[in-house]
Amino acid sequence: LKGHTEQVSDVAFSPSGDQVASASFDNTVRSWDSHTGNNILVLQGHTLWVQSVAYSPDGLNIVSGGLDGEIRICNTHSGQVGLVLKNGRGAVYCVAYSSDGHCIAVGNGIGELQLWDSKTGTSGRQWRGHKSFVIAVDFSPDSKWIASSSDDCTVKLWDVHTGTLVSAFAGHTGWIRTLAFSLDGQWLASGSDDATVRLWCARSGTPGRVFSGHSDWVKRVTFSPCGLKVASGSDDGTVRVLDIGTGE
């Protein structure tokens, strides 16, 4: 899928799998037909690099966050801008939708997490979660928890309703660039600049397996739908598929 003129920083599938959205350092978001490869929309408006992109659970909207501090919500069919939310606290590094689509979580450049109402655009709870910028956020499947990671080498789990810390996970020795919950919410996977993928038990707050093998930064992790495997993509040019049961 070609069209961006600068580095692609993030990609996401629509819930139906019929579209792919991509965010880029060319300040745009593009959507693509995953079957034909055709470029459907070019979403403009960000004035600096777009760092993160996500589809709403109903597939009707795309949310994007950029270094310009804006969170933009656009219709996936028309490209019309629905809401433009001003972070007001510096660059936006990551965005994520809750499973019911009512809430958007945002991580910014000064270690804060912020919740937004995706329908009204009103700002909700905001709290300082990390010492430095928040690189990745993800909701648990039941939307009760938010996981966040940072260049402070920690993964933290938060109660969505109170903003209180549930668990803090330490072990990585480099920036943690990616997080993903398993579909049952039991496991949380993280990938780091230390070239490892780590598993954490979200329910008990205990560490799980550590997967090595990559020789460079791990940029993305994702669980298989069955929850038995984790795929990781790295700056070493490889994708690895890891068995969480055997550690192979």
Side-chain angles (χ1 to χ4, degrees):
L1 310 178
K2 297 181 180 181
H4 286 297
T5 58
E6 297 287 346
Q7 176 178 323
V8 176
S9 53
D10 198 16
V11 292
F13 271 102
S14 66
S16 67
D18 292 329
Q19 286 189 18
V20 176
S22 55
S24 172
F25 287 2
D26 65 10
N27 304 349
T28 69
V29 172
R30 287 177 177 257
S31 64
W32 313 82
D33 186 304
S34 59
H35 303 289
T36 66
N38 291 335
N39 187 190
I40 302 169
L41 294 170
V42 180
L43 305 177
Q44 299 177 325
H46 284 288
T47 57
L48 292 172
W49 296 353
V50 187
Q51 291 287 117
S52 184
V53 66
Y55 278 90
S56 59
D58 60 11
L60 297 179
N61 292 292
I62 295 172
V63 63
S64 58
L67 296 188
D68 55 7
E70 290 188 349
I71 303 105
R72 301 178 69 88
I73 302 173
C74 298
N75 184 275
T76 54
H77 300 295
S78 67
Q80 182 176 353
V81 179
L83 291 170
V84 178
L85 313 177
K86 303 287 186 177
N87 176 42
R89 304 288 286 176
V92 173
Y93 283 91
C94 48
V95 294
Y97 266 103
S98 61
S99 58
D100 61 10
H102 293 302
C103 187
I104 295 171
V106 173
N108 70 23
I110 57 174
E112 292 179 343
L113 291 99
Q114 188 170 15
L115 301 180
W116 295 84
D117 187 304
S118 64
K119 309 301 181 185
T120 65
T122 55
S123 176
R125 188 177 303 280
Q126 183 172 331
W127 68 97
R128 184 71 179 265
H130 293 271
K131 296 176 182 178
S132 188
F133 60 88
V134 180
I135 304 176
V137 290
D138 194 24
F139 278 93
S140 61
D142 59 9
S143 293
K144 292 181 179 179
W145 295 333
I146 296 173
S148 62
S149 68
S150 170
D151 65 347
D152 63 12
C153 305
T154 65
V155 175
K156 294 184 178 181
L157 200 61
W158 308 91
D159 185 294
V160 171
H161 301 292
T162 65
T164 55
L165 182 65
V166 177
S167 298
F169 304 113
H172 282 297
T173 58
W175 293 14
I176 303 168
R177 297 183 180 271
T178 178
L179 293 171
F181 275 99
S182 60
L183 293 185
D184 61 5
Q186 179 176 352
W187 293 102
L188 181 64
S190 58
S192 169
D193 285 5
D194 64 13
T196 67
V197 174
R198 288 178 176 260
L199 294 181
W200 317 92
C201 183
R203 293 175 182 171
S204 66
T206 56
R209 295 186 182 276
V210 180
F211 297 94
S212 57
H214 284 297
S215 59
D216 209 335
W217 300 354
V218 178
K219 287 290 193 66
R220 176 59 66 92
V221 292
T222 185
F223 275 90
S224 63
C226 67
L228 300 178
K229 295 180 175 65
V230 174
S232 57
S234 169
D235 272 10
D236 65 11
T238 68
V239 173
R240 288 176 175 262
V241 181
L242 313 168
D243 188 306
I244 69 171
T246 66
E248 297 294 320

Coordinates of all heavy atoms in Angstrom, one line a residue, residues 43 54 67 83 98 112 122 127 155 169 218 220 241:
L43 N -6.8 11.6 5.0 CA -7.3 12.5 6.1 C -6.3 13.5 6.5 O -5.2 13.1 7.0 CB -7.8 11.7 7.3 CG -8.8 10.6 7.0 CD1 -9.1 9.8 8.2 CD2 -10.1 11.1 6.4
A54 N -6.5 4.6 15.4 CA -7.3 3.5 15.9 C -8.7 3.6 15.3 O -9.2 4.8 15.1 CB -7.4 3.4 17.4
L67 N 1.8 14.9 17.0 CA 2.7 15.7 17.8 C 2.2 17.2 17.9 O 2.7 18.0 18.7 CB 4.1 15.7 17.1 CG 4.8 14.4 17.1 CD1 6.2 14.6 16.7 CD2 4.8 13.7 18.5
L83 N -14.9 15.5 15.3 CA -14.4 16.2 16.5 C -12.9 16.4 16.3 O -12.2 15.6 15.8 CB -14.7 15.5 17.8 CG -16.1 15.3 18.2 CD1 -16.2 14.4 19.4 CD2 -16.7 16.7 18.6
S98 N -12.1 2.5 23.9 CA -12.6 1.5 24.8 C -13.5 0.6 24.0 O -13.9 0.9 22.9 CB -13.5 2.2 25.9 OG -14.6 2.9 25.4
E112 N 1.4 12.0 31.0 CA 0.0 12.0 31.5 C -0.9 11.1 30.6 O -0.6 10.9 29.4 CB -0.6 13.4 31.5 CG 0.0 14.3 32.5 CD -0.5 15.7 32.4 OE1 -1.1 16.1 31.4 OE2 -0.3 16.5 33.4
T122 N -15.9 15.9 25.4 CA -15.6 16.5 26.7 C -14.4 15.7 27.3 O -14.3 14.5 27.1 CB -16.8 16.5 27.6 OG1 -17.3 15.1 27.7 CG2 -17.8 17.4 27.1
W127 N -4.5 12.2 34.6 CA -3.5 11.9 35.7 C -2.1 11.7 35.2 O -1.9 11.3 34.0 CB -4.0 10.8 36.6 CG -4.0 9.4 35.9 CD1 -3.0 8.5 36.0 CD2 -5.0 8.8 35.1 NE1 -3.3 7.3 35.3 CE2 -4.5 7.5 34.7 CE3 -6.2 9.3 34.6 CZ2 -5.3 6.7 33.9 CZ3 -7.0 8.4 33.8 CH2 -6.5 7.2 33.4
V155 N 5.6 -0.7 32.7 CA 4.2 -0.9 32.2 C 3.3 -0.7 33.4 O 3.6 -1.3 34.5 CB 4.0 -2.3 31.6 CG1 2.5 -2.6 31.3 CG2 4.9 -2.5 30.4
F169 N 4.6 -2.9 36.4 CA 5.4 -4.0 36.0 C 6.8 -3.5 35.6 O 6.9 -2.5 34.8 CB 4.8 -4.7 34.8 CG 3.4 -5.3 35.1 CD1 2.3 -4.8 34.4 CD2 3.2 -6.3 36.0 CE1 1.0 -5.2 34.7 CE2 1.9 -6.8 36.2 CZ 0.9 -6.3 35.6
V218 N 11.7 -3.8 19.5 CA 10.4 -4.4 19.2 C 9.3 -3.3 19.1 O 9.1 -2.6 20.1 CB 10.0 -5.5 20.3 CG1 8.6 -6.1 19.9 CG2 11.0 -6.6 20.3
R220 N 6.0 -3.6 17.7 CA 4.6 -3.9 17.8 C 4.4 -5.4 18.2 O 5.1 -6.3 17.8 CB 3.9 -3.8 16.4 CG 2.5 -4.2 16.3 CD 1.6 -3.4 17.3 NE 1.5 -2.0 17.0 CZ 0.6 -1.4 16.2 NH1 -0.3 -2.2 15.6 NH2 0.6 -0.1 16.0
V241 N 6.5 -15.2 15.7 CA 5.3 -15.7 16.4 C 5.7 -16.6 17.5 O 6.5 -17.6 17.4 CB 4.4 -16.5 15.4 CG1 3.2 -17.0 16.0 CG2 4.1 -15.7 14.1

